[in-house]
Amino acid sequence: MLAGKSLNGRFNETIEGMKFLLEVTMDDEALAKDPAGELGRILRYWGGNLRHYPLRPGDGSVIHDSGHREVGGWRIE
Protein backbone atom coordinates (compact mmCIF):
# COMPACT_ATOMS: atom_id res chain seq x y z
CA MET A 1 0.00 0.00 0.00
CA LEU A 2 1.07 3.58 -0.56
CA ALA A 3 1.35 6.06 2.27
CA GLY A 4 2.00 9.72 1.52
CA LYS A 5 2.71 9.07 -2.17
CA SER A 6 1.16 10.41 -5.35
CA LEU A 7 -1.68 8.32 -6.71
CA ASN A 8 -2.70 9.25 -10.27
CA GLY A 9 -1.22 12.71 -9.88
CA ARG A 10 -2.98 13.53 -6.59
CA PHE A 11 -1.58 13.41 -3.09
CA ASN A 12 -3.25 11.11 -0.60
CA GLU A 13 -2.12 11.26 3.00
CA THR A 14 -2.68 7.52 3.30
CA ILE A 15 -4.57 4.70 1.65
CA GLU A 16 -3.38 2.00 4.04
CA GLY A 17 -6.30 0.02 5.39
CA MET A 18 -8.79 1.53 2.94
CA LYS A 19 -11.04 -0.71 0.83
CA PHE A 20 -12.76 -0.09 -2.49
CA LEU A 21 -16.04 -2.01 -2.47
CA LEU A 22 -18.19 -2.54 -5.58
CA GLU A 23 -21.52 -4.31 -5.35
CA VAL A 24 -23.73 -5.09 -8.35
CA THR A 25 -27.03 -6.99 -8.16
CA MET A 26 -27.03 -9.61 -10.92
CA ASP A 27 -30.81 -10.14 -11.18
CA ASP A 28 -31.32 -6.92 -13.15
CA GLU A 29 -32.76 -7.28 -16.68
CA ALA A 30 -29.58 -6.14 -18.51
CA LEU A 31 -27.32 -8.21 -16.26
CA ALA A 32 -29.47 -11.34 -16.64
CA LYS A 33 -29.47 -11.00 -20.44
CA ASP A 34 -25.71 -10.42 -20.89
CA PRO A 35 -23.91 -10.59 -17.53
CA ALA A 36 -20.33 -10.43 -18.86
CA GLY A 37 -21.12 -7.65 -21.32
CA GLU A 38 -23.04 -5.53 -18.82
CA LEU A 39 -20.50 -6.00 -16.01
CA GLY A 40 -17.72 -5.11 -18.45
CA ARG A 41 -19.56 -1.91 -19.39
CA ILE A 42 -20.08 -0.99 -15.71
CA LEU A 43 -16.41 -1.64 -14.87
CA ARG A 44 -15.14 0.35 -17.88
CA TYR A 45 -17.42 3.28 -17.05
CA TRP A 46 -16.51 3.44 -13.37
CA GLY A 47 -12.85 2.70 -14.05
CA GLY A 48 -12.72 5.88 -16.13
CA ASN A 49 -15.00 7.90 -13.86
CA LEU A 50 -13.12 7.30 -10.59
CA ARG A 51 -10.66 10.09 -11.40
CA HIS A 52 -13.45 12.55 -10.52
CA TYR A 53 -13.46 11.40 -6.88
CA PRO A 54 -10.80 12.05 -4.21
CA LEU A 55 -11.16 8.39 -3.08
CA ARG A 56 -11.39 9.07 0.62
CA PRO A 57 -13.32 7.00 3.16
CA GLY A 58 -17.01 7.72 2.70
CA ASP A 59 -16.78 8.46 -1.03
CA GLY A 60 -19.08 6.42 -3.24
CA SER A 61 -21.87 6.43 -5.77
CA VAL A 62 -24.77 4.36 -7.04
CA ILE A 63 -24.23 2.23 -10.16
CA HIS A 64 -26.70 2.07 -13.03
CA ASP A 65 -27.07 -0.47 -15.82
CA SER A 66 -27.23 0.48 -19.50
CA GLY A 67 -30.98 1.09 -19.07
CA HIS A 68 -30.24 3.63 -16.29
CA ARG A 69 -31.67 1.35 -13.59
CA GLU A 70 -29.87 1.35 -10.23
CA VAL A 71 -28.10 -2.00 -9.79
CA GLY A 72 -25.65 -1.36 -6.97
CA GLY A 73 -22.97 0.97 -5.80
CA TRP A 74 -19.36 1.49 -4.86
CA ARG A 75 -17.80 3.01 -1.75
CA ILE A 76 -14.50 3.62 -0.03
CA GLU A 77 -14.17 2.37 3.54
Side-chain angles (χ1 to χ4, degrees):
M1 293 276 181
L2 300 174
K5 305 271 190 216
S6 176
L7 182 64
N8 294 332
R10 286 185 297 218
F11 182 82
N12 289 310
E13 287 186 23
T14 183
I15 61 173
E16 283 187 42
M18 288 180 17
K19 292 181 183 180
F20 176 86
L21 303 164
L22 174 82
E23 184 173 18
V24 177
T25 302
M26 299 291 290
D27 59 357
D28 173 78
E29 179 183 332
L31 284 153
K33 194 180 307 180
D34 181 13
E38 191 66 18
L39 280 173
R41 187 201 64 78
I42 288 169
L43 292 170
R44 282 189 305 278
Y45 177 82
W46 280 106
N49 201 38
L50 287 173
R51 70 177 189 273
H52 299 292
Y53 293 85
L55 299 180
R56 292 186 290 243
D59 285 349
S61 183
V62 297
I63 293 174
H64 297 92
D65 69 4
S66 56
H68 305 288
R69 293 173 291 263
E70 187 174 324
V71 294
W74 67 267
R75 67 187 181 280
I76 302 288
E77 292 183 350

